[in-house]
Amino acid sequence: MFVFRVDSNSMIGVGHMYRCVAIAKALKIMGKEVMFVCREDSDVSMLQQSFLPYRFVPSVRLGSEEAINTLKDIMCELRANVCIVDSCDIDNTGLKSLKEKCKVVLIEDKLYEVMDVDCIINPNIYTSKLNYENKYPNNVDLLLGMDYSPFIIDA
């Protein structure tokens, strides 16, 4: 199972949710199970329209110990082995802690710092200028550039 940890509300743009929904739809076509975990103040209308399952968690900073422990508990409960995180609200400490329970994929737009994850997705056109290959170890999968830009499909 793939768990998506993403939020969308008046302060957080819908783009994070949009690209996660696109990836989730592709995973479902491949026969995989998905679950979205969102803050209780998130707009989940896109998930509802796409018939994608979701669960709310308290609206606390994603990088907080409380939020990470809640997410880890959900991962264990669902027996999920991959968590896809699309948020600027988490730091390396939180990601490293989450990685103790599952594989972690981070979707990001800029290389602010090197994160302890299993995979990075940055679908932006300018990724070659960010020098990911020289900053990340070889065991981290790097999915960089427009070839990895998710878009909504009808299925």
Side-chain angles (χ1 to χ4, degrees):
M1 172 175 277
F2 292 78
V3 170
F4 289 83
R5 182 60 188 88
V6 61
D7 301 310
S8 176
N9 59 34
S10 61
M11 300 298 291
I12 303 167
V14 71
H16 298 279
M17 184 71 74
Y18 189 89
R19 60 190 177 190
C20 286
V21 165
I23 295 169
K25 284 184 169 187
L27 287 168
K28 285 190 66 122
I29 289 170
M30 295 168 43
K32 307 297 182 186
E33 290 184 86
V34 300
M35 171 66 73
F36 280 76
V37 176
C38 307
R39 290 172 22 158
E40 58 197 355
D41 63 348
S42 285
D43 176 3
V44 293
S45 58
M46 192 180 306
L47 299 177
Q48 292 166 336
Q49 292 167 1
S50 299
F51 303 102
L52 293 168
Y54 61 91
R55 154 185 308 200
F56 287 122
V57 292
S59 295
V60 297
R61 187 178 157 274
L62 176 55
S64 71
E65 188 174 345
E66 174 187 355
I68 293 298
N69 287 337
T70 299
L71 183 55
K72 286 165 70 172
D73 290 345
I74 291 170
M75 297 296 295
C76 287
E77 175 191 331
L78 297 174
R79 296 184 181 170
N81 52 359
V82 178
C83 186
I84 300 172
V85 179
D86 192 343
S87 175
C88 301
D89 196 27
I90 190 166
D91 58 18
N92 198 41
T93 302
L95 291 167
K96 190 173 185 175
S97 178
L98 184 57
K99 193 174 167 189
E100 295 168 2
K101 294 289 182 193
C102 61
K103 291 195 178 288
V104 177
V105 177
L106 178 64
I107 303 174
E108 66 177 18
D109 294 313
K110 296 188 174 165
L111 178 56
Y112 291 113
E113 68 177 289
V114 173
M115 300 293 202
D116 190 359
V117 295
D118 298 289
C119 179
I120 293 284
I121 301 172
N122 184 332
N124 292 293
I125 196 167
Y126 53 78
T127 57
S128 61
K129 295 180 182 180
L130 298 177
N131 206 14
Y132 277 89
E133 292 83 359
N134 291 325
K135 295 178 180 174
Y136 273 92
N138 290 339
N139 64 331
V140 176
D141 292 320
L142 300 174
L143 307 178
L144 307 172
M146 296 297 290
D147 288 345
Y148 300 99
S149 184
F151 57 91
I152 297 287
I153 55 175
D154 287 327

